[in-house]
Amino acid sequence: MTEPQRSGKPLILEVKGLSVAYGTKIAVDEVSLEIERGEIFGLLGPNGAGKTSIMSSIEALIKPRSGQVLIDGIDITDNPQRAKAIMGVQLQATSFQSELTIRQIVSLYSGLYGIRLSRREIDERLEDIGLSNEAGKPFKQLSGGQQQRLALLIAVIHNPVLLLLDEPTSGLDPQSRRQLWGRIEHVRQAGGSILLTTHSMEEAQTVCDRVAIIDHGKLVTCDTPNRIIEKHKDDVRVKNVAHGDVTLEDVFIGLTGSEIRD
Amino acid sequence: MKYVTSYEQAMSPGPKLIYGSLLKADLLVLVKNRRSVVLSILLPMVILFTTHGNKAQQRLGGSLILVGLAITYGLMSTSMLGYTLGVARDRDAGVFQRLRVTPAPTWMIITSRLAIQVVANLVIALLVVIVGASMYHLTLGFGQYVLVLAISILGGALFLSIGLALVGMLKSSDTVNAAGRIVFAALIFLGLFGISGALGGALQFIASWSPVGTVMALFSAAINPAKWAGHDSLSLLVTLAYIVCFAGVGIRWFRWDTH
């Protein structure tokens, strides 16, 4: 695999030779990635390819078997608290304490990131994401789109240098999805870098500057969506699945296979 | 909104603010779970009121044993049904994983819940001992109250450690719920019928050295320290041993995520 060209901007995330194993099963095998400041990077792969294991290693939720993860130069293993303080995370299945109201949840998480917010400041932030009327409701009473908006608000409440989004638009209607893409772009424009996983090729092509395709724990390819298409369009596996012009989805299925993964 | 450009500019969250936020949230969760707290107070009160009378009092071993039994059941109820089920449910829902990706150290996430639970245990113990002392005309001094509160921390720790062992060994919140209720019922049974000797000497022996028996003995001794005997000292040691064993099992096998 050839290394994609770099623009020379500072690296916000460096994943070096990362391997993750669960017992004898190797979930991630020597994966290396780099994300620059202000870049939106997509991690694509079928179910069980190792995307969530890579994300969990970056989030310090699991201990990798080998390799190194640096967030703006801070080693996540050596200094997890410091690294977590500059990182925002939206997990695949976001859940907050069911007894707490939205306002209380925002207050809790802002405190965990060292920010004291007054009730008025919390309400202003909730108004920004259109949840001011829901401030007194518990999280479970919000719709899927509202839950995602709140999860994203909490992920960026401390203005992180790196934002990790694990399948942020899964289960959202097209309107909510588009709105979320806008918010992700806004984070980038404000100076943040974003690593997201997705099953949506449309999302990867529309939102991401670069994408990496992962399969069976290995990095298959990594570049801008257009360059990936250009690079693999003549691959016989890709040609076999393409109907007309080769798309990113054709390349994805061609490189990772057509069989259904659970 | 402006994003930080390097970690030097990022806020370094102070431990005081992090722990304060966790404590506040855990307290709110406890207060909102009013039903569980009320039930934990109601159960010992029911025991005190239904056994208030010479016959029942004598059959179950006297007023000190009854007050001890009532406090023990209150602690059992709040620790095993309240705390344990809450931890299992939140773990299943992914609440802990969400907290763990923040800068909050894991020890703070664990101990803030425990700290709030300990406060709840103290309130329950104090309420029960005040009502019990008034019903049975027991005159307690300041030292006895302090002793009761100290034992309630110890007793609470024992039942919390049993709960921790359950969530450590069992993954699904449904299984923890079922197992927790079975263990709770078994301990209630041992306390009510085993210790009195109504079901024979063998069961009485088992019951007196069971977690519920040792804690009851300690409460009775705390209310009347003049009668503190060798059996009570041994109960203290056995209680400590239970805490170490159950907490050890819970910590060793605890998983933050069940998926």
Side-chain angles (χ1 to χ4, degrees), chain B residues 4-250:
Chain B
V4 288
T5 50
S6 74
Y7 75 88
E8 282 88 2
Q9 285 174 266
M11 298 200 193
S12 290
K16 214 170 140 186
L17 183 55
I18 292 180
Y19 206 46
S21 302
L22 284 169
L23 285 170
K24 190 179 160 192
D26 287 329
L27 180 65
L28 280 168
V29 169
L30 187 85
V31 170
K32 291 198 178 184
N33 276 326
R34 267 181 231 107
R35 211 165 45 180
S36 157
V37 179
V38 169
L39 278 174
S40 302
I41 295 171
L42 212 61
L43 178 67
M45 294 301 172
V46 167
I47 290 169
L48 286 180
F49 282 99
T50 53
T51 55
H52 190 227
N54 281 340
K55 270 188 185 172
Q57 209 173 308
Q58 278 168 9
R59 207 169 39 235
L60 289 165
S63 55
L64 292 182
I65 296 277
L66 279 173
V67 176
L69 181 82
I71 307 173
T72 306
Y73 282 4
L75 295 183
M76 256 169 58
S77 169
T78 182
S79 302
M80 293 184 61
L81 298 184
Y83 173 84
T84 308
L85 301 188
V87 168
R89 186 202 55 201
D90 283 354
R91 180 177 62 176
D92 241 13
V95 171
F96 288 128
Q97 291 296 71
R98 187 64 194 82
L99 289 170
R100 285 180 68 217
V101 296
T102 69
T106 46
W107 70 264
M108 281 195 191
I109 299 170
I110 298 172
T111 58
S112 108
R113 274 192 184 222
L114 285 171
I116 296 298
Q117 195 57 54
V118 167
V119 173
N121 287 351
L122 289 174
V123 171
I124 290 169
L126 200 60
L127 275 174
V128 176
V129 82
I130 288 170
V131 174
S134 135
M135 281 177 69
Y136 291 106
H137 310 294
L138 304 168
T139 315
L140 302 183
F142 177 74
Q144 283 158 292
Y145 277 108
V146 172
L147 211 50
V148 165
L149 292 181
I151 299 295
S152 69
I153 291 175
L154 201 66
L158 170 55
F159 296 119
L160 287 172
S161 68
I162 294 176
L164 194 62
L166 285 173
V167 282
M169 289 187 299
L170 306 168
K171 267 189 172 184
S172 129
S173 62
D174 289 339
T175 322
V176 172
N177 192 346
R181 284 169 201 279
I182 290 169
V183 174
F184 181 72
L187 291 176
I188 290 233
F189 176 83
L190 278 178
L192 271 179
F193 304 109
I195 289 169
S196 65
L199 297 172
L203 203 66
Q204 187 179 25
F205 179 80
I206 293 169
S208 355
W209 297 108
S210 70
V212 72
T214 58
V215 175
M216 270 175 65
L218 288 176
F219 274 121
S220 307
I223 294 167
N224 190 2
K227 285 189 178 173
W228 188 286
H231 175 271
D232 302 315
S233 302
L234 209 53
S235 292
L236 180 65
L237 288 176
V238 173
T239 302
L240 289 171
Y242 275 136
I243 294 171
V244 171
C245 287
F246 287 124
V249 168

Side-chain angles (χ1 to χ4, degrees), chain A residues 64-107:
Chain A
R65 195 175 66 169
S66 61
Q68 194 182 27
V69 176
L70 300 173
I71 317 286
D72 203 11
I74 307 169
D75 193 312
I76 190 81
T77 312
D78 294 345
N79 207 339
Q81 259 65 53
R82 198 84 192 265
K84 285 174 185 176
I86 57 167
M87 186 163 63
V89 178
Q90 184 181 337
L91 297 173
Q92 205 175 86
T94 290
S95 189
F96 302 105
Q97 289 89 326
S98 53
E99 296 85 355
L100 299 183
T101 65
I102 305 309
R103 196 182 279 121
Q104 288 164 345
I105 289 169
V106 176
S107 170

Side-chain angles (χ1 to χ4, degrees), chain A residues 13-258:
Chain A
L13 174 69
E14 292 168 81
V15 177
K16 297 175 181 175
L18 184 76
S19 292
V20 177
Y22 302 105
T24 54
K25 190 191 181 309
I26 294 170
V28 179
D29 192 6
E30 291 284 323
V31 167
S32 296
L33 296 170
E34 286 176 349
I35 299 181
E36 297 174 351
R37 181 179 306 286
E39 186 176 30
I40 302 180
F41 190 98
L43 211 48
L44 312 179
N47 288 334
K51 301 184 300 292
T52 300
S53 293
I54 293 172
M55 291 294 253
S56 299
S57 302
I58 298 169
E59 291 154 359
L61 285 177
I62 57 171
K63 206 176 168 189
R65 195 175 66 169
S66 61
Q68 194 182 27
V69 176
L70 300 173
I71 317 286
D72 203 11
I74 307 169
D75 193 312
I76 190 81
T77 312
D78 294 345
N79 207 339
Q81 259 65 53
R82 198 84 192 265
K84 285 174 185 176
I86 57 167
M87 186 163 63
V89 178
Q90 184 181 337
L91 297 173
Q92 205 175 86
T94 290
S95 189
F96 302 105
Q97 289 89 326
S98 53
E99 296 85 355
L100 299 183
T101 65
I102 305 309
R103 196 182 279 121
Q104 288 164 345
I105 289 169
V106 176
S107 170
L108 164 65
Y109 280 88
S110 58
L112 295 183
Y113 285 103
I115 302 162
R116 283 179 205 276
L117 291 179
S118 66
R119 189 186 167 101
R120 188 180 54 81
E121 286 169 324
I122 292 173
D123 287 351
E124 277 170 8
R125 288 180 189 228
L126 289 175
E127 203 177 330
D128 282 348
I129 58 164
L131 289 181
S132 49
N133 291 334
E134 278 71 28
K137 287 183 183 171
F139 181 70
K140 287 271 154 64
Q141 281 183 20
L142 302 185
S143 70
Q146 290 173 327
Q147 289 189 352
Q148 289 287 13
R149 271 168 13 228
L150 179 72
L152 186 61
L153 169 74
I154 284 168
V156 299
I157 205 152
H158 56 305
N159 302 338
V161 294
L162 176 67
L163 177 61
L164 304 174
L165 305 170
D166 202 354
E167 297 186 19
T169 53
S170 99
L172 292 188
D173 61 30
Q175 286 84 354
S176 304
R177 199 166 63 225
R178 286 290 167 103
Q179 205 177 61
L180 195 79
W181 289 352
R183 289 180 193 280
I184 291 171
E185 183 54 40
H186 178 71
V187 171
R188 184 249 288 277
Q189 282 170 5
S193 307
I194 296 115
L195 170 62
L196 62 89
T197 68
T198 181
H199 282 298
S200 161
M201 299 302 135
E202 183 201 358
E203 184 167 281
Q205 261 183 303
T206 312
V207 178
C208 300
D209 300 315
R210 281 194 302 142
V211 296
I213 297 177
I214 308 277
D215 197 21
H216 299 298
K218 287 179 189 288
L219 195 62
V220 179
T221 188
C222 176
D223 213 323
T224 65
N226 287 339
R227 277 202 219 121
I228 285 182
I229 294 168
E230 197 59 35
K231 214 187 291 182
H232 297 280
K233 68 179 183 190
D234 295 325
D235 188 318
V236 67
R237 294 169 298 172
V238 175
K239 278 183 170 175
N240 282 343
V241 294
H243 304 282
D245 287 344
V246 173
T247 62
L248 186 61
E249 184 162 300
D250 296 328
V251 175
F252 177 81
I253 293 175
L255 297 182
T256 60
S258 306

